[in-house]
Amino acid sequence: MSGASVQTATALPPGRDTRLAVDRDGWIKRFFVIVIGLYLVGALALPLYAMLSKSFVTYSFDLSRYEVMRSDAEGNWGPARSLAAINDELGRFTPQDLASNVNGRLAPTEFFPDFSFRSPERWRIRGLDAESHYLVGLDLIRSDEWRELDSNTFRRVNLRPLPKTGMDNYSAYFSNPALFGSIGNSVTIAAISTVITLFLAFGFAYAINRTCMRFKSTFRMIAMMPILVPSLLPGIALVYMFGTQGYLTPLLMGHSIYGPIGIVIGSVFFTFPHAFLIISTALSIADQRQYEAAESLRASSWRTFWTVTIPGARYGLISAAFVTFTLVITDFGLPKVIGGQYNVLAVDIYKQVIGQQNFEMGAVVSVILLVPAVLAFVVDRIVTRRQVSLLSARSVPFQPRPDRKADRLWLLWCICVALFITSIIATCQAAALIRFWPYDLTPTLANYDFNRMDGGGWAAYWNSLQMAGWTAVVGTVIVFTGAYMVEKIDGFRSGRTLFQFLAMLPMAIPGMVLGLAYIFFFNDPANPANVIYGTMVILVVSTVTHFYTVGHLTALTALKQIDAEFEPVASSLRQPFWRLFGRVTVPVCLPTILDISIYMFVNAMTTVSAVVFLYSTKTALASVAVLNMDDAGTIAPAAAMGMMIFYTNAAARILHAMASRRIMRRTQAWRVR
Amino acid sequence: MTDRTPAAQPYLEIRNLWKAFGDFVALRDIDLDIHPGEFVCFLGPSGCGKTTLLRAIAGLDPQSRGTIRQGGKDISTLPASGRDYGIVFQSYALFPNLTVERNIAFGLENTGRPKAEIKARVAELLALVGLPEQGQKYPAQLSGGQQQRIALARAIAISPGLLLLDEPLSALDAKVRVHLRHEIKELQRKLGVTTIMVTHDQEEALSMADRIVVMNHGVIEQVGTPTEIYRHPATLFVADFIGETNHFDAQVQSGRVQMAGLDLAAVTGGHAPGSAVRVAIRPEDILPMASDAPEAENRLAAQVADMEFLGSYWRAHLKVGEVALVANFSMNAVRRFDIRSGAAQLVEIPAERVLVFRGASA
Ligand SMILES: Nc1ncnc2c1ncn2[C@@H]1O[C@H](COP(=O)(O)OP(=O)(O)OP(=O)(O)O)[C@@H](O)[C@H]1O
Ligand SMILES: [Mg+2]
């Protein structure tokens, strides 16, 4: 015992930190993180970038960059003249007229009012530099050489617009009240819908979590029904209920359902389950002790409600508000069907792109729609993180006590909401089965004979089924594998952070924006991935990407709950990680994996927004068929197709529930803990 | 520690090992040799860096600086899968969806061994840990102690060169813990596997380890056998952490230490006369004497202020003049010398049991 250990050095000696060599498992995990990360880059980041850069590009015809010469019948050439000079002389086109888009064409014959293609005159044309390209027939000419043509060929010459980068699209957008007026409309609609949905959903969730009301599980089931149908379905139902021939139209007292009223009612319908789920989770984690404390202070139940219940659920309420707001403002199907002349952002994108072929303006509206969506996303992430910490601090779960009078009132509330939801679905079902509302009410299955209508026929339904199936399988595999690799990899800090960011991004991107971004990115002939354009693959890719984040978060939650020491144990036993993954991780997470796949399936069946830009005649989808049939005025078949989606999703949900129950029963032995 | 002749070559050699988490230095300049077949305990208060050191050895959280050699081979940068050890975590980390048999066989399968051989090996291991009948059950159907043994069986199934145990007993209740201590120790002796166990329970370390590594604030305070550590603590921290002590500030005189109210003979080699020291005396080193015993060094006339019965012995609060001392007396001694609260009692503190450490200010 010579003395104490000498404690001289206290700071780390200089040098580099030891790094462990990466083993085979480490390389494979890095490989997967990189591959799935690259998938997200290719399927999300690059398309968005392409869209963003397109929104700054304007196309216009630059007449000063072209010269034309004209000869008479004898072959005597006149002077070479710039088209700009001719235009000034004629006063033919204003600068606004010369603005165009990527597909624009301008025939130089426009500058020669006396032009006739039968005339024996000859023509020469050239661009002043290599950029000033023009078409002769289908051939694109990029040359500053003179080119001599006869009149009949000159007729087939077209100038192409030249791109210019700048804020022009944005200034054009904000100088057009018909366009920027949509911002106010969208925000108003989203705000009103959010308030109403929150109000109804809070009461509903309160009744289910905090009272002794009866029929809770039935109500819970009804509350989830809107998730199973496309958001345009309530629009169709509202037409039958409140349209010009509607059976409830007098209730509107002269107001039209086409417009804000219809959008708000429909939005409340399709956002209800989302708000309900979030608030219900928040209300289910109350602490009994706080209520006992309030009671011992003789606080009135009204005061207790405001001082204990609402603050306890505040993060849930905030989160539900932002989720609802985002859902409404980014939704396209519903305002398309019931919006009438009331313009909103999501429909504007569609109109610009599909109606006017103005892709650049579509990109501008998309960027504008991104702002509230990204904002809402950021706030929601912050709030959700807070709520998680709240959850872990809680202890004694709340036990509601029966109160006959109050329970009756809550039952009434829930019945009203349930009636609202079921009546919309029931109206659709009735519409689908009635021959010709309101004149011929005989029941018929004729509306299900989709092959007789435009919109894709039964093939569209089978396509949807196929697309949803692929999305469920491929999406679940990618999402779960990605989440596992990024959660269980050692080291690779920066790679992980980047991957997590990429995985969160899809949640902030509205479907319409994603779809338009895909057009820009995948329809570019220079892009080798162009081959998937117009195929089933691009539909699956866009849908998997669109719904990536929720799946990723669900998988992460499950993976974080299993023991972090499984991986060290397996590697100390010199077993490769994939044995652990296959034998332990996947079986233990199977319920979660099923949850992710049903989520992907149901959403793939109902989604309209991203795929509406991406389907081709061969890959028409059921949800898009609903939209197109409604557009074509064949509303009853649209309702029938919507109901097909409903049956399918309901069946899928039932199968999922049965499968989950079976797994639970079979694995009960080891789930005792 | 020259009393032990180490085997030709240590099995595990740790040199100048440092670990930092950001600015926080969790391990400082650790040097440690572990010999083949040894059972070593890392012992220290919570947060002293035991787990950090174990994880560095396992390749789970690499050290910041320094080297580790195992069996003569430098493993400092090898990933966990390239090292040779079995590990048992505090949580046991048993695979919940696999039966006990499958858990134990996990490291044996996929190695080209025939099925029958694996089956036999699993049965052998189950018998070894005393659970021969439980192979078909799932981990959740076993008690904590049983799960612990399955985790142990799984770790030793592949006959690792090194066995790492991170607080393997801390999740169990006291009775099971004491029982398992012996079982693990027995098993380790039978297998002869070099073993490192992390614990913050000194009793566990004292009863199981061949050698104990006492750690504090990221440094090794002392390495030694349980008796060395107990009887000759190298630092005041060790003396305090293991067992209990009375301690006092004192000054060294040749062969003696002087403190307020006491002046004791002591082994003061290494401390210059006149230097300030800290003196520690263990309660059980205060021996009761018959009042007619022959005169000797460090005899003190004490007054018994209070007595506490602690089951297997008595704790006596003594007063020697103004100085308070705590002493442990066996039941036997209490009966023989009729020690009672309020009575006078002669005690002796053998000079070599007066532990002298450098003073706090030195
Ligand atoms: N990942 C980490 N990041 C930052 N600090 C850490 C990390 N892991 C451990 N530490 C710190 O290093 C110190 C040593 O931790 P370690 O887990 O080794 O303690 P321990 O001796 O095992 O304690 P216990 O008995 O409580 O398990 C502690 O102060 C701890 O806070
Ligand atoms: Mg520890």
Side-chain angles (χ1 to χ4, degrees):
Chain A
M1 48 184 270
S2 49
S5 61
V6 194
Q7 209 173 316
T8 43
T10 50
L12 209 57
R16 284 205 310 149
D17 277 4
T18 309
R19 282 188 163 202
L20 295 182
V22 178
D23 59 358
R24 184 190 47 191
D25 283 9
W27 286 120
I28 296 175
K29 287 178 187 171
R30 278 168 175 70
F31 173 80
F32 273 106
V33 169
I34 291 171
V35 166
I36 299 178
L38 283 179
Y39 165 84
L40 286 169
V41 168
L44 189 68
L46 292 181
L48 281 177
Y49 176 76
M51 187 202 72
L52 201 64
S53 52
K54 270 288 175 344
S55 75
F56 292 105
V57 174
T58 45
Y59 286 89
S60 63
F61 298 102
D62 188 350
L63 300 179
S64 63
R65 292 167 93 169
Y66 298 92
E67 281 184 348
V68 176
M69 287 168 82
R70 180 179 191 175
S71 83
D72 57 20
E74 281 73 49
N76 301 318
W77 289 97
R81 297 194 65 194
S82 150
L83 286 181
I86 304 178
N87 188 42
D88 287 347
E89 204 176 289
L90 289 176
R92 179 88 179 73
F93 295 111
T94 64
Q96 275 85 3
D97 295 333
L98 293 172
S100 179
N101 61 46
V102 69
N103 296 316
R105 305 273 191 281
L106 179 66
T109 53
E110 297 272 357
F111 297 97
F112 302 95
D114 55 342
F115 174 80
S116 157
F117 68 93
R118 294 209 181 82
S119 117
E121 292 164 309
R122 296 187 68 78
W123 304 81
R124 282 184 186 155
I125 183 165
R126 70 166 179 179
L128 291 184
D129 52 52
E131 253 95 87
S132 338
H133 49 297
Y134 56 93
L135 291 165
V136 178
L138 292 174
D139 303 330
L140 188 66
I141 313 293
R142 282 178 183 278
S143 149
D144 51 2
E145 304 273 300
W146 283 105
R147 192 164 269 259
E148 197 173 317
L149 307 161
D150 59 27
S151 289
N152 194 27
T153 316
F154 191 59
R155 176 174 67 149
R156 296 170 57 222
V157 169
N158 274 301
L159 306 185
R160 297 297 316 275
L162 298 176
K164 198 169 89 191
T165 316
M167 300 299 288
D168 289 5
N169 289 326
Y170 289 88
S171 50
Y173 180 87
F174 284 105
S175 57
N176 185 346
L179 284 175
F180 77 75
S182 300
I183 300 179
N185 288 354
S186 277
V187 171
T188 312
I189 290 293
I192 297 174
S193 307
T194 302
V195 171
I196 300 177
T197 304
L198 240 54
F199 182 67
L200 293 178
F202 183 85
F204 205 87
Y206 186 91
I208 283 185
N209 287 288
R210 297 291 178 82
T211 72
C212 290
M213 179 189 71
R214 298 180 58 197
F215 311 118
K216 282 183 183 175
S217 54
T218 314
F219 283 129
R220 212 186 282 268
M221 217 173 66
I222 292 173
M224 299 317 292
M225 273 175 24
I227 280 192
L228 307 180
V229 298
S231 62
L232 24 84
L233 205 75
I236 293 175
L238 290 175
V239 171
Y240 279 91
M241 294 162 102
F242 300 103
T244 37
Q245 311 278 8
Y247 62 89
L248 294 176
T249 308
L251 288 182
L252 285 181
M253 294 180 293
H255 297 283
S256 170
I257 193 69
Y258 294 99
I261 299 180
I263 306 180
V264 167
I265 299 178
S267 296
V268 169
F269 172 84
F270 88 85
T271 56
F272 184 83
H274 302 273
F276 164 71
L277 273 185
I278 297 170
I279 299 175
S280 192
T281 309
L283 285 176
S284 68
I285 54 171
D287 195 335
Q288 176 89 33
R289 293 171 304 177
Q290 291 189 333
Y291 287 87
E292 280 161 6
E295 197 165 303
S296 70
L297 293 172
R298 296 183 195 284
S300 70
S301 50
W302 183 243
R303 234 188 90 101
T304 309
F305 179 81
W306 284 106
T307 53
V308 182
T309 310
I310 293 284
R314 68 186 180 280
Y315 293 128
L317 282 169
I318 296 172
S319 176
F322 279 96
V323 166
T324 309
F325 186 88
T326 317
L327 281 172
V328 176
I329 206 167
T330 60
D331 182 54
F332 156 72
L334 182 66
K336 177 81 182 62
V337 169
I338 199 87
Q341 302 303 311
Y342 195 78
N343 290 333
V344 295
L345 290 170
V347 179
D348 281 352
I349 300 178
Y350 182 78
K351 284 187 189 158
Q352 289 296 330
V353 172
I354 302 292
Q356 312 192 3
Q357 296 283 308
N358 190 345
F359 292 86
E360 287 73 31
M361 194 50 82
V364 171
V365 186
S366 294
V367 172
I368 287 162
L369 186 56
L370 264 179
V371 174
V374 170
L375 267 181
F377 167 80
V378 171
V379 173
D380 180 53
R381 289 312 304 161
I382 296 171
V383 168
T384 309
R385 203 163 300 158
R386 294 249 174 97
Q387 177 163 25
V388 169
S389 56
L390 203 69
L391 203 150
S392 48
R394 294 303 173 100
S395 48
V396 188
F398 181 79
Q399 293 292 337
R401 264 171 296 178
D403 175 345
R404 290 191 60 171
K405 221 173 93 197
D407 289 347
R408 287 248 173 94
L409 284 174
W410 287 115
L411 184 66
L412 195 66
W413 181 289
C414 289
I415 288 175
C416 289
V417 174
L419 265 181
F420 166 62
I421 292 173
T422 44
S423 68
I424 285 199
I425 304 241
T427 301
C428 263
Q429 180 60 83
L433 290 174
I434 285 172
R435 193 169 292 276
F436 190 34
W437 176 267
Y439 306 107
D440 180 356
L441 300 184
T442 48
T444 176
L445 285 177
N447 293 323
Y448 286 85
D449 195 357
F450 301 126
N451 289 341
R452 288 196 9 242
M453 340 271 174
D454 286 342
W458 274 99
Y461 175 73
W462 299 119
N463 280 341
S464 260
L465 213 53
Q466 200 187 345
M467 199 274 271
W470 279 115
T471 302
V473 173
V474 176
T476 308
V477 169
I478 295 182
V479 164
F480 192 77
T481 310
Y484 176 81
M485 299 300 162
V486 81
E487 175 67 22
K488 304 290 181 185
I489 202 170
D490 295 317
F492 204 45
R493 247 346 138 60
S494 41
R496 283 164 87 156
T497 314
L498 190 64
F499 186 94
Q500 294 285 19
F501 172 76
L502 282 171
M504 292 312 296
L505 200 55
M507 190 130 109
I509 310 301
M512 295 303 282
V513 177
L514 190 69
L516 182 57
Y518 271 39
I519 298 185
F520 287 127
F521 187 65
F522 288 104
N523 198 21
D524 181 353
N527 182 353
N530 176 266
V531 290
I532 69 168
Y533 198 74
T535 67
M536 184 60 92
V537 177
I538 199 170
L539 298 179
V540 173
V541 168
S542 73
T543 312
V544 168
T545 311
H546 190 178
F547 299 108
Y548 195 98
T549 307
V550 172
H552 179 72
L553 291 176
T554 313
L556 273 190
T557 310
L559 286 167
K560 278 186 200 300
Q561 278 167 359
I562 59 180
D563 200 324
E565 265 129 22
F566 285 171
E567 271 70 23
V569 164
S571 59
S572 81
L573 295 172
R574 288 169 228 143
Q575 296 296 321
F577 83 91
W578 63 81
R579 268 201 86 218
L580 181 72
F581 183 71
R583 295 278 310 271
V584 180
T585 314
V586 169
V588 169
C589 293
L590 206 53
T592 304
I593 293 175
L594 280 183
D595 288 349
I596 298 173
S597 62
I598 188 74
Y599 168 81
M600 290 267 176
F601 183 91
V602 167
N603 277 298
M605 282 303 291
T606 57
T607 190
V608 182
S609 51
V611 293
V612 75
F613 290 138
L614 302 174
Y615 74 96
S616 67
T617 44
K618 278 196 203 135
T619 56
L621 296 173
S623 51
V624 179
V626 178
L627 182 80
N628 288 341
M629 288 193 277
D630 174 79
D631 228 14
T634 46
I635 304 185
M641 187 63 101
M643 289 315 289
M644 282 309 299
I645 296 175
F646 175 71
Y647 311 144
T648 311
N649 278 340
R653 285 296 283 252
I654 291 169
L655 278 179
H656 167 255
M658 281 175 9
S660 296
R661 193 165 314 154
R662 258 191 70 171
I663 289 171
M664 280 302 181
R665 195 166 332 122
R666 221 182 44 203
T667 60
Q668 212 166 24
W670 54 266
R671 283 192 197 274
V672 188
R673 259 187 295 190
Chain B
M1 322 304 145
T2 46
D3 51 345
R4 156 183 283 271
T5 27
Q9 167 99 43
Y11 181 66
L12 197 71
E13 296 165 78
I14 297 170
R15 292 286 173 273
N16 310 109
L17 190 116
W18 292 73
K19 174 72 185 180
F21 295 106
D23 284 340
F24 176 74
V25 181
L27 293 175
R28 286 172 209 281
D29 205 10
I30 302 287
D31 277 306
L32 182 64
D33 284 347
I34 293 173
H35 304 290
E38 236 186 341
F39 193 123
V40 169
C41 275
F42 294 171
L43 176 66
S46 185
C48 70
K50 310 176 293 282
T51 301
T52 306
L53 183 54
L54 194 81
R55 289 178 72 86
I57 294 171
L60 299 175
D61 247 327
Q63 68 281 7
S64 305
R65 304 279 188 282
T67 56
I68 306 173
R69 300 171 70 82
Q70 183 179 2
K73 185 173 125 198
D74 188 343
I75 58 163
S76 313
T77 61
L78 277 188
S81 60
R83 302 190 184 191
D84 175 21
Y85 65 88
I87 190 162
V88 176
F89 289 103
Q90 192 176 356
S91 69
Y92 314 142
L94 291 173
F95 306 134
N97 63 321
L98 302 182
T99 61
V100 164
E101 267 180 2
R102 294 249 149 262
N103 262 285
I104 298 177
F106 195 83
L108 301 170
E109 293 162 354
N110 206 25
T111 52
R113 267 174 252 233
K115 272 219 164 79
E117 191 190 314
I118 294 176
K119 222 174 148 57
R121 175 84 175 129
V122 170
E124 180 194 346
L125 286 160
L126 276 171
L128 196 62
V129 296
L131 295 169
E133 306 296 316
Q134 315 281 359
Q136 295 307 318
K137 288 191 178 170
Y138 287 101
Q141 297 166 323
L142 301 179
S143 72
Q146 289 172 324
Q147 290 181 25
Q148 210 285 326
R149 286 187 255 186
I150 301 302
L152 195 61
R154 181 178 64 181
I156 59 178
I158 54 164
S159 314
L162 181 64
L163 184 60
L164 305 177
L165 311 169
D166 189 2
E167 309 226 9
L169 302 176
S170 63
L172 303 172
D173 59 46
K175 261 246 170 72
V176 185
R177 203 164 0 172
V178 173
H179 177 67
L180 268 178
R181 264 186 217 165
H182 294 290
E183 289 208 353
I184 293 178
K185 180 67 193 160
E186 266 315 297
L187 194 65
Q188 188 268 344
R189 231 194 303 258
K190 225 185 295 180
L191 299 171
V193 56
T194 313
T195 302
I196 300 174
M197 184 173 99
V198 164
T199 178
H200 59 253
D201 179 339
Q202 47 153 315
E203 240 182 82
E204 214 166 277
L206 290 170
S207 67
M208 295 173 80
D210 295 327
R211 280 198 303 155
I212 296 175
V213 176
V214 185
M215 298 177 64
N216 186 30
H217 291 309
V219 299
I220 294 181
E221 294 270 341
Q222 188 176 5
V223 182
T225 63
T227 35
E228 270 170 7
I229 298 270
Y230 192 84
R231 299 194 66 82
H232 306 291
T235 65
L236 189 61
F237 170 81
V238 178
D240 248 355
F241 187 70
I242 296 174
E244 294 161 298
T245 51
N246 301 284
H247 45 85
F248 313 94
D249 284 319
Q251 227 182 16
V252 176
Q253 297 300 320
S254 60
R256 301 191 73 78
V257 282
Q258 284 182 336
M259 54 211 103
L262 273 181
D263 183 346
L264 296 172
V267 182
T268 56
H271 299 281
S275 60
V277 291
R278 219 38 206 163
V279 164
I281 299 162
R282 294 206 185 277
E284 61 272 24
D285 289 331
I286 299 175
L287 309 172
M289 289 286 144
S291 48
D292 54 356
E295 192 66 20
E297 257 184 346
N298 293 351
R299 260 314 136 75
L300 305 170
Q303 197 69 28
V304 181
D306 194 15
M307 296 276 286
E308 261 177 278
F309 181 53
L310 293 179
S312 45
Y313 62 92
W314 288 84
R315 164 151 308 175
H317 297 270
L318 308 177
K319 282 265 189 203
V320 179
E322 283 307 298
V323 182
L325 277 174
V326 173
N328 290 348
F329 295 144
S330 71
M331 312 248 273
N332 222 346
V334 170
R335 211 173 313 124
R336 190 140 53 92
F337 299 107
D338 189 24
I339 305 173
R340 270 176 293 113
S341 198
Q345 177 62 43
L346 196 62
V347 296
E348 181 184 315
I349 304 169
E352 80 277 7
R353 302 304 312 137
V354 177
L355 308 172
V356 186
F357 304 101
R358 271 191 298 173
S361 54

